């Protein structure tokens, strides 16, 4: 089976936000779809902290990212864990329906959890919309735009992540945390090597 055809599926770019007591959580997701005019679905990895919080607290928001989103915001929400760092420390947001809404996006959709379907790797979160608003007339960012213009990579936890086979004779090292691929002529990574996307050291890299 050639998995390349899956790359022809289209996606957007979103931050899924939620709240656990006083802890604000959230993660980047490309896999949001509208089911009907008051229902949406998202595929969230079973290991994401945000998934656990949504399943326990039954409330979340979809923040629709515009094309002018900074790559730093995506690195924070797309590669780090909400239970390890405060992802909201340096960004503007406000609480609506007790859910963090990120400022300066295209807008938001707030949902209660209507249902969930767990697979081996991801849980399909089905949300019933309780509030939504277009906050800016920005162009929404597509996943293709993110890859082509921000030169962004995909986290290992995203449904669209694929381990690619190498076509060169270079050595390929893959970050076990975020999926970043590093191609080099070297047989070993230098001792002080750090992942340019998520910052972890060489011990987190696996040679393909
Ligand atoms: C471009 C991009 C798309 C992503 N799409 C998804 C997605 O659709 N579903 C998902 O579960 N994780 C997705 N991720 C990965 C999560 O954002 C990432 O694992 C995050 O660190 C989880 O944070 P948390 O543990 O605080 O919830 C994506 C990451 C990136 C960079």
């Amino acid at each position: 089976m050639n998995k390349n055809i899956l790359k022809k599926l289209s996606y957007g770019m979103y931050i899924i936000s939620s709240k656990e007591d006083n802890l604000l959580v959230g993660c980047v997701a490309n896999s949001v779809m509208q089911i009907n005019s008051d229902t949406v679905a998202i595929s969230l990895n079973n290991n994401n902290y945000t998934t656990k919080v949504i399943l326990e607290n039954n409330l979340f928001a979809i923040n629709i990212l515009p094309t002018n989103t900074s790559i730093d915001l995506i690195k924070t929400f797309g590669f780090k864990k909400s239970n390890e760092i405060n992802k909201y420390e340096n960004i503007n947001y406000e609480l609506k329906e007790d859910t963090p809404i990120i400022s300066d996006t295209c807008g938001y959709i707030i949902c209660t959890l209507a249902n969930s379907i767990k697979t081996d790797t991801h849980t399909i979160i089905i949300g019933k919309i309780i509030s939504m608003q277009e906050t800016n007339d920005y162009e929404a960012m597509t996943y293709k735009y993110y890859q082509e213009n921000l030169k962004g990579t995909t986290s290992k936890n995203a449904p669209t992540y694929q381990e690619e086979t190498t076509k060169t004779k270079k050595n390929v090292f893959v970050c076990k945390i975020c999926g970043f691929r590093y191609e080099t002529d070297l047989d070993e990574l230098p001792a002080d090597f750090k992942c340019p996307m998520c910052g972890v050291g060489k011990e987190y890299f696996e040679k393909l």
Side-chain angles (χ1 to χ4, degrees):
M1 264 198 314
N2 183 344
K3 290 187 179 172
N4 266 346
I5 190 64
L6 293 173
K7 294 183 183 162
K8 302 280 181 194
L9 296 175
S10 306
Y11 299 94
M13 285 289 288
Y14 313 93
I15 288 178
I16 312 304
S17 55
S18 191
K19 185 169 170 282
E20 177 188 52
D21 302 323
N22 289 324
L23 180 67
L24 303 180
V25 305
C27 68
V28 171
N30 53 37
S31 59
V32 174
M33 70 180 288
Q34 185 182 343
I35 305 297
N36 59 36
S37 62
D38 57 12
T39 315
V40 289
I42 317 168
S43 170
L44 286 189
N45 195 284
N46 296 335
N47 296 325
N48 287 6
Y49 197 76
T50 308
T51 312
K52 167 189 126 58
V53 172
I54 293 173
L55 292 174
E56 285 171 6
N57 293 333
N58 303 321
L59 198 62
F60 64 92
I62 301 165
N63 298 267
I64 299 158
L65 299 180
T67 49
N68 60 9
T69 302
S70 84
I71 187 78
D72 287 342
L73 186 77
I74 295 174
K75 281 185 188 173
T76 303
F77 280 85
F79 294 97
K80 308 223 161 127
K81 296 207 64 69
S82 302
N83 49 330
E84 291 171 4
I85 61 150
N86 175 6
K87 296 190 180 183
Y88 293 81
E89 197 173 8
N90 297 313
I91 64 163
N92 294 323
Y93 68 91
E94 57 183 318
L95 287 181
K96 286 187 194 296
E97 310 281 350
D98 207 32
T99 307
I101 301 298
I102 296 168
S103 307
D104 215 28
T105 67
C106 298
Y108 61 87
I109 301 169
I110 304 177
C111 302
T112 54
L113 182 68
N115 212 333
S116 65
I117 302 165
K118 192 171 179 186
T119 73
D120 288 353
T121 56
H122 289 72
T123 298
I124 303 163
I125 302 283
I126 301 173
K128 179 171 175 7
I129 301 172
I130 55 167
S131 166
M132 56 185 157
Q133 187 71 47
E134 182 179 7
T135 48
N136 287 291
D137 187 22
Y138 296 146
E139 192 185 335
M141 178 152 57
T142 61
Y143 184 51
K144 187 168 193 265
Y145 183 98
Y146 165 72
Q147 289 176 307
E148 288 178 357
N149 295 276
L150 278 76
K151 306 286 176 215
T153 57
T154 306
S155 155
K156 217 173 166 180
N157 285 358
T160 43
Y161 178 81
Q162 277 186 28
E163 287 197 17
E164 288 166 26
T165 48
T166 168
K167 297 187 189 76
T168 68
K169 286 191 179 140
K170 287 179 183 277
N171 286 317
V172 181
F173 294 85
V174 179
C175 176
K176 288 192 255 181
I177 304 299
C178 71
F180 177 79
R181 292 165 57 87
Y182 184 68
E183 290 189 12
T184 173
D185 295 327
L186 300 172
D187 284 334
E188 289 297 327
L189 290 174
D192 59 351
F193 186 85
K194 295 257 183 297
C195 176
M197 285 306 281
C198 72
V200 297
K202 66 169 271 198
E203 65 275 18
Y204 288 93
F205 275 77
E206 194 172 60
K207 194 173 176 184
L208 283 190

